[in-house]
Amino acid sequence: MEDQKEKIFSGLSQAVVDMDIDSAVYFARKALEAGISAEEAIVYGLSNGMERVSKLYQEDIYYVPELVVCGDTMYEGLNILKPHLNKTHKPLGKLIIGVVEGDSHDIGKNIVAMLLEAAGFEIHDLGTDVPLHHFADKALEVDADIVAMSSLMTTSRGGMGNVIEDLKKRSLRKRFVMVGGSAVTAAFAQRIGADAYGPDAFAAVTLAKKMMLQF
Amino acid sequence: MIKLIDYIKKFDRRLVFPWMSTVGLRLTGYKLYDVYNSPQKQLYVAQVMDEEFKADFVYPMDDGALFFETIGLPLIKTDYDFPSSMEHPIKDQSILSGLRVPDPYKDGRMPVNLESYSLISGHFDKPLAVSLQGPFTLASELMGVMDLVRAIIRNPQYVTDLLNYTTEVVLTYALAAVQAGVSFLCISEPTAVLLSPPRFNQLVSDNLRKIFTSTDAWKILHVCGDTTYLMPQLLNCGTEGLSLDQAVDLPGIAPRIPEEVVIIGNIDPLNVLAELTPAEVWENTLDLLFNMKDYPNFLVSFGCDCLPDTPVENLKAAMEGGRTLIK
């Protein structure tokens, strides 16, 4: 059984690295047939693959196109495994993510969401051009721990401050706010009262993990 | 036409070229599309900007949305910043084959823009600088960045076809722009920083070379982000000027750039121009001049477009600092 498990984990991981959707689907199904828990298949298979992909990206072997297609491959595997997660399964944290109203640029937000999902977060992606009150609405609805926002437009970045105020007013408990995007600087993040500024997707994952340690 | 490098060497100080046209909206009270749609307003904004900041080049309002707006993509518009595309419907060959290359003399705002260029270039002795969106970035607007990067791996033939189309769009307009008086032609490829060096060569360099070799103007390339890793590829595009983002260590990269290629950059529009005091901006600009003093092929500029709400005093400090003679 252990050999079979290892083979399936390795198959899932390699499928992600190779951008091979057919193999990701095959090994995800194989994991369930073999009675392997969905949690284990995700952590030791798909997430492991994304960790390797992140390393390849940081070593300038993979670039954004590979990162995105590897992420797509991971999601194909997740679609099969997620419905079988144990009801007691707890994600690393719950996170709302979106691009604020007035802005439709989404690649940075999508990569952050993908890496956070791979890191074990439960992601609620609101998409782009998100009306500001939707962030707090969703945070309260799913009891999110972190709200992440991005903006590439100077005319829309001010909306992030409104979301933070909205969250403070409506939330009974602390929820961390992380911001990023090319129109955002660390100084701006501090001015609007964000808890953290993520200069890139990998920093965002590290910051989100640190935030969860503070609960 | 005199080469850009020879032009900048004619002066006994550094020349300064800023990316800050939306600041002109604040100074004049005009809304963006009021300016886009009126050559007279374009000229007035250029005059106000020239009086206020005394750059060594004149320029109309930046117009990065021109191509995809003319092609018909739906936009999010604001009054005082650039529009962005809301949808990216050009996803496959059947839709692409229904598109035609816009006629600069007939379609959308293009004829009005050309009239604005003629008016501005006729009014000033300074060279007229215009920035156009490059073919790869235009492709990312038409298809969506996510789908474009997917297609690079999953459907490379479609990407080639899409880039052939966008290259024709940019080239056709660039030729008309030069005809209308543009002498400093900058092609901006912000999205290209997502690519590996071999893919940059394949998907960006060849198309830019085609545009640059066909146009009789100073040919500048701007790519956002840290492009240090792409330097050989950037230099392989047929450009005579490289506009580099603030993420690039300019003094560090300068020895790798041939002396006939003008290095353009790279005061930080966010962390310096938007966030510091005028005195600090001045000091920062002088530091850059000092660190680049051994490179006669250096032209002072911003790393990228500055924010529309950048303090005017900071911009003046950068412009005045940039004109300072450093020996």
Side-chain angles (χ1 to χ4, degrees):
Chain A
M1 176 67 179
E2 284 307 305
D3 276 0
Q4 190 189 15
K5 260 183 154 179
E6 281 309 312
K7 198 177 160 193
I8 289 171
F9 294 156
S10 159
L12 282 167
S13 173
Q14 195 59 38
V16 171
V17 174
D18 291 344
M19 299 170 261
D20 181 350
I21 287 175
D22 290 343
S23 292
V25 169
Y26 171 81
F27 282 109
R29 287 191 180 130
K30 203 87 181 146
L32 295 175
E33 283 165 19
I36 296 170
S37 76
E39 284 86 348
E40 276 190 306
I42 291 171
V43 172
Y44 300 114
L46 297 173
S47 295
N48 177 273
M50 278 310 289
E51 274 174 36
R52 292 165 61 200
V53 169
S54 299
K55 194 161 177 285
L56 289 168
Y57 181 83
Q58 286 166 322
E59 290 170 351
D60 290 339
I61 295 168
Y62 274 8
Y63 286 80
V64 170
E66 290 83 4
L67 196 58
V68 168
V69 177
C70 290
D72 288 347
T73 311
M74 173 191 74
Y75 283 126
E76 291 291 337
L78 282 176
N79 287 342
I80 291 167
L81 294 168
K82 265 185 166 180
H84 299 274
L85 280 172
N86 192 310
K87 292 209 171 21
T88 58
H89 167 77
K90 279 200 171 168
L92 186 53
K94 290 184 186 176
L95 188 141
I96 308 291
I97 192 165
V99 179
V100 293
E101 191 166 24
D103 191 352
S104 63
H105 298 91
D106 67 352
I107 190 163
K109 182 267 297 172
N110 290 345
I111 289 174
V112 171
M114 185 176 81
L115 295 178
L116 286 166
E117 178 117 36
F121 282 86
E122 179 181 308
I123 303 298
H124 298 269
D125 187 344
L126 302 182
T128 61
D129 193 20
V130 179
L132 301 179
H133 64 92
H134 282 194
F135 285 95
D137 290 349
K138 194 71 182 177
L140 296 177
E141 180 196 322
V142 304
D143 195 22
D145 303 300
I146 300 172
V147 173
M149 296 179 276
S150 81
S151 174
L152 271 75
M153 303 286 291
T154 54
T155 41
S156 62
R157 69 173 189 166
M160 294 174 165
N162 298 348
V163 173
I164 292 170
E165 288 304 311
D166 195 24
L167 269 172
K168 275 185 193 161
K169 271 186 212 155
R170 294 170 57 191
S171 185
L172 294 175
R173 75 167 177 97
K174 172 71 183 170
R175 299 176 206 276
F176 287 98
V177 175
M178 177 164 60
V179 296
S182 66
V184 177
T185 62
F188 174 79
Q190 197 174 19
R191 268 203 305 278
I192 62 170
D195 298 293
Y197 160 68
D200 60 53
F202 297 99
V205 175
T206 307
L207 288 167
K209 285 180 177 171
K210 275 188 190 165
M211 285 171 185
M212 292 313 299
L213 293 176
Q214 293 178 48
F215 281 115
Chain B
M1 185 180 191
I2 183 176
K3 287 181 177 174
L4 179 59
I5 183 68
D6 295 327
Y7 180 77
I8 71 166
K9 281 183 176 172
K10 288 196 324 188
F11 296 80
D12 63 357
R13 60 166 176 82
R14 300 296 188 179
L15 298 193
V16 187
F17 173 71
W19 300 105
M20 59 177 183
S21 64
T22 50
V23 174
L25 299 175
R26 214 161 79 236
L27 295 180
T28 59
Y30 291 154
K31 292 177 180 171
L32 182 70
Y33 272 79
D34 292 342
V35 178
Y36 279 163
N37 290 320
S38 163
Q40 288 301 333
K41 286 194 169 92
Q42 286 270 22
L43 175 62
Y44 180 64
V45 173
Q47 287 173 314
V48 168
M49 294 292 278
D50 188 56
E51 280 162 24
E52 195 76 16
F53 300 111
K54 298 175 179 57
D56 292 300
F57 299 80
V58 289
Y59 44 91
M61 193 60 56
D62 275 334
D63 199 354
L66 178 68
F67 297 141
F68 60 80
E69 180 180 335
T70 307
I71 289 165
L73 262 55
L75 305 180
I76 299 179
K77 287 182 181 174
T78 63
D79 287 338
Y80 301 106
D81 200 355
F82 301 119
S84 56
S85 52
M86 266 177 76
E87 293 168 25
H88 316 281
I90 318 302
K91 305 282 191 197
D92 61 44
Q93 193 68 51
S94 66
I95 304 170
L96 177 62
S97 57
L99 294 182
R100 63 175 179 81
V101 174
D103 182 340
Y105 299 102
K106 287 183 184 163
D107 291 328
R109 293 188 288 102
M110 287 178 167
V112 181
N113 270 16
L114 297 177
E115 196 183 331
S116 301
Y117 302 161
S118 296
L119 199 61
I120 297 172
S121 70
H123 186 85
F124 290 95
D125 289 333
K126 298 175 181 180
L128 174 63
V130 164
S131 175
L132 302 179
Q133 191 168 51
F136 185 80
T137 302
L138 176 57
S140 74
E141 296 284 359
L142 297 182
M143 192 179 184
V145 187
M146 288 294 284
D147 284 333
L148 177 63
V149 297
R150 286 180 176 120
I152 286 170
I153 291 173
R154 301 287 193 210
N155 192 0
Q157 184 55 52
Y158 176 65
V159 174
T160 302
D161 294 342
L162 181 61
L163 289 172
N164 286 341
Y165 169 75
T166 55
T167 302
E168 281 308 306
V169 173
V170 178
L171 175 58
T172 306
Y173 184 80
L175 289 169
V178 172
Q179 191 71 30
V182 171
S183 45
F184 181 107
L185 177 71
C186 179
I187 303 285
S188 291
E189 285 283 25
T191 312
V193 76
L194 305 177
L195 299 172
S196 65
R199 285 217 172 95
F200 188 96
N201 261 341
Q202 180 198 347
L203 303 172
V204 181
S205 301
D206 291 350
N207 295 326
L208 288 179
R209 251 195 324 275
K210 184 176 175 189
I211 294 167
F212 284 147
T213 53
S214 307
T215 42
D216 184 21
W218 295 328
K219 304 134 174 65
I220 319 302
L221 171 61
H222 176 80
V223 181
C224 293
D226 187 353
T227 49
T228 307
Y229 77 102
L230 283 171
M231 202 46 60
Q233 290 69 36
L234 298 181
L235 291 167
N236 186 33
C237 295
T239 174
E240 52 190 306
L242 274 185
S243 163
L244 299 170
D245 185 285
Q246 61 273 12
V248 176
D249 170 14
L250 219 55
I253 202 75
R256 291 172 55 193
I257 299 178
E259 55 191 28
E260 69 274 14
V261 174
V262 177
I263 306 167
I264 302 166
N266 74 345
I267 302 168
D268 188 332
L270 296 170
N271 293 299
V272 174
L273 293 173
E275 299 289 353
L276 301 184
T277 64
E280 290 166 330
V281 171
W282 169 276
E283 197 176 331
N284 198 284
T285 307
L286 259 57
D287 283 348
L288 178 63
L289 284 172
F290 181 78
N291 291 330
M292 292 298 288
K293 68 182 168 48
D294 295 333
Y295 301 96
N297 55 337
F298 172 52
L299 194 159
V300 184
S301 185
F302 303 163
C304 203
D305 232 326
C306 74
L307 307 183
D309 56 357
T310 305
V312 167
E313 292 310 313
N314 283 6
L315 295 168
K316 283 186 172 173
M319 299 299 291
E320 286 166 20
R323 286 191 292 269
T324 306
L325 187 61
I326 302 274
K327 291 197 173 178

